[in-house]
Amino acid sequence: RAAGVALTGKRLVDCTQMITPETFTFASCFFQGVKFSSEAIFDTRGTGVPSGSFKQKFSMACDVGTHIDSPGHWFKDKRCIECLTLPELVGEGVIVDVSAECAADRDYRLTLEDLRGWEERHGPVPRQAIVCMKTGWGRRFHEGPASYLGVDGYEEGDEIPMDGMHFPGFSFEAAAWLVEERDVKGIGIDTGSLDQGQDGSYPVHVKVLGSDRFQIENMNLEELPDGPCTLVCMPLFVQGAPESETRVMAVLN
């Protein structure tokens, strides 16, 4: 009841990409059989009785669709998903809309100037915020690797070249500034990686996860305007998981 009262008069926006058997996972760039699949265990519905039950078994990698990277995704001695606390996963959100810049340059990196421009429009990035880069790539999510990952000449079944991807991401300078100067607790993006497609050394992952923050990838930010919001991020509560599929909701006034 308390949650219902708190959300009265608010607009709720689902920032999650739906999971289907075709849903993108970075693990599929390296391994077979890691995309989402389901198998019926039993189904007694419609067998001549008033009601029945239906159960399925799911199988997928831990990074299918919208998901959180824990610090343990990159560093063996750091926290995994079950150690992320509810106060970390719910908080002030910052949506930085650079979709126009990304439409003009698919290799665009979020800059310090972009963040300072956001602060000029909306005020300082709050301490312990979750800062999300809106690139416009969310609308490409279900279009396949040629569009979403920017792999030129890709055809179904081709191996995805790790040096042939073109999509936007955070610059290292922007990520470092958010961690060191604004003390954010996490960052997010509507592409397949927080690092730009050509950043094969993953400097943003190293900086953010190495600073004991979390990351959200493959978000759906299409309905969110540039500006502040509240973000609620609920990963599956799996022990020892480096990453986890996550339902993300934005709350707008």
Side-chain angles (χ1 to χ4, degrees):
R1 177 175 174 79
V5 171
L7 295 176
T8 299
K10 310 289 186 180
R11 179 186 172 210
L12 308 183
V13 178
D14 197 336
C15 302
T16 314
Q17 297 286 4
M18 183 180 292
I19 294 176
T20 74
E22 291 75 39
T23 297
F24 170 74
T25 162
F26 240 114
S28 65
C29 297
F30 311 99
F31 306 103
Q32 298 295 317
V34 294
K35 289 190 173 184
F36 172 78
S37 63
S38 63
E39 176 185 345
I41 300 173
F42 64 84
D43 187 357
T44 61
R45 301 168 301 170
T47 55
V49 294
S51 64
S53 62
F54 178 36
K55 286 188 179 290
Q56 291 181 312
K57 178 177 73 175
F58 296 161
S59 176
M60 58 184 166
C62 58
D63 67 339
V64 175
T66 306
H67 68 274
I68 283 181
D69 293 351
S70 74
H73 173 44
W74 225 248
F75 298 94
K76 192 171 184 178
D77 60 343
K78 291 192 178 292
R79 297 184 301 155
C80 286
I81 289 293
E82 80 276 15
C83 296
L84 300 178
T85 67
L86 290 177
E88 282 182 275
L89 296 167
V90 179
E92 293 181 271
V94 167
I95 309 301
V96 185
D97 187 349
V98 288
S99 52
E101 290 84 347
C102 295
D105 178 8
R106 62 181 181 172
D107 295 320
Y108 190 79
R109 291 179 175 88
L110 187 74
T111 67
L112 285 177
E113 289 70 26
D114 293 326
L115 294 172
R116 289 175 178 138
W118 190 94
E119 292 195 326
E120 290 177 1
R121 296 189 298 275
H122 304 289
V125 171
R127 180 181 176 276
Q128 291 290 283
I130 303 169
V131 177
C132 299
M133 177 183 176
K134 179 179 178 179
T135 70
W137 250 241
R139 68 176 71 98
R140 302 177 180 222
F141 183 75
H142 293 288
E143 295 179 359
S147 176
Y148 190 59
L149 298 181
V151 180
D152 295 330
Y154 176 85
E155 295 184 5
E156 186 65 32
D158 286 353
E159 181 176 336
I160 297 175
M162 297 307 293
D163 60 351
M165 295 185 289
H166 296 273
F167 55 81
F170 283 72
S171 69
F172 173 81
E173 291 75 18
W177 185 82
L178 287 169
V179 168
E180 296 169 4
E181 301 298 329
R182 294 297 181 267
D183 191 28
V184 300
K185 56 186 175 184
I187 62 174
I189 199 167
D190 54 358
T191 71
S193 174
L194 280 301
D195 284 282
Q196 183 249 37
Q198 293 288 294
D199 281 339
S201 60
Y202 301 100
V204 174
H205 279 67
V206 172
K207 178 63 180 180
V208 174
L209 301 181
S211 300
D212 200 37
R213 273 74 170 178
F214 65 85
Q215 304 178 156
I216 316 170
E217 295 171 329
N218 298 322
M219 300 178 76
N220 181 358
L221 302 174
E222 290 305 296
E223 293 187 42
L224 294 184
D226 183 89
C229 64
T230 297
L231 288 174
V232 180
C233 313
M234 292 288 104
L236 293 174
F237 197 37
V238 180
Q239 184 178 25
E243 304 168 279
S244 179
E245 284 74 20
T246 301
R247 192 74 179 261
V248 181
M249 177 179 72
V251 183
L252 302 177
N253 290 325

